[in-house]
Amino acid sequence: MEEDDLNPAGKPLYRLYFKGLVTEEKEMLLAGFGVAICGDKDDLLFDLKVSIHDPTITLLEVELIALKSGLNQAVSLGINHISICCDHEYIFELVSFPWLTRICFNLIINVFP
């Protein structure tokens, strides 16, 4: 699929990148995520890095929180068409199938307020 095929009716193509991290160091759980929104010329429009202090959090939860944060910021910037770029296989599958997208986003909104 060509990049131009993803560009709806000549509108700018925005990209949402996000990455979560959960690691254990010195018997302590460290978690956090990063979010970036880029414009159609790969210009950085938004950047966020957040630490999470929850010893029970999972990588999937961190990734979903990052996705929600990015989508919320995209909406506040007035962006209504965006490509979602991630490397978490389960989230990729959820956002890649149109019939699952609405279910996925309702789940994210309801589970991670």
Side-chain angles (χ1 to χ4, degrees):
M1 182 178 291
E2 296 292 320
E3 185 173 306
D4 292 336
D5 295 338
L6 300 173
N7 194 351
K11 294 180 181 179
L13 180 63
Y14 297 98
R15 291 179 192 85
L16 167 61
Y17 299 93
F18 63 95
K19 178 70 178 153
L21 175 69
V22 176
T23 186
E24 188 173 338
E25 289 186 18
K26 298 181 183 178
E27 299 179 20
M28 185 177 194
L29 191 67
L30 303 174
F33 64 87
V35 174
I37 297 175
C38 296
D40 57 346
K41 296 184 182 2
D42 283 332
D43 49 326
L44 184 63
L45 303 175
F46 176 77
D47 185 28
L48 174 68
K49 294 178 181 98
V50 176
S51 296
I52 298 176
H53 305 286
D54 180 352
T56 63
I57 200 156
T58 67
L59 179 59
L60 178 60
E61 290 170 323
V62 173
E63 294 270 357
L64 289 171
I65 292 168
L67 173 59
K68 182 178 179 184
S69 297
L71 291 173
N72 283 336
Q73 186 60 41
V75 168
S76 71
L77 291 171
I79 297 170
N80 56 13
H81 289 89
I82 195 162
S83 293
I84 298 172
C85 306
C86 69
D87 64 355
H88 193 285
E89 185 176 342
Y90 182 67
I91 293 175
F92 178 77
E93 288 177 14
L94 286 175
V95 299
S96 294
F97 297 102
W99 60 274
L100 279 177
T101 303
R102 176 165 279 150
I103 296 168
C104 173
F105 292 139
N106 285 335
L107 174 70
I108 292 169
I109 291 167
N110 293 324
V111 174
F112 300 102

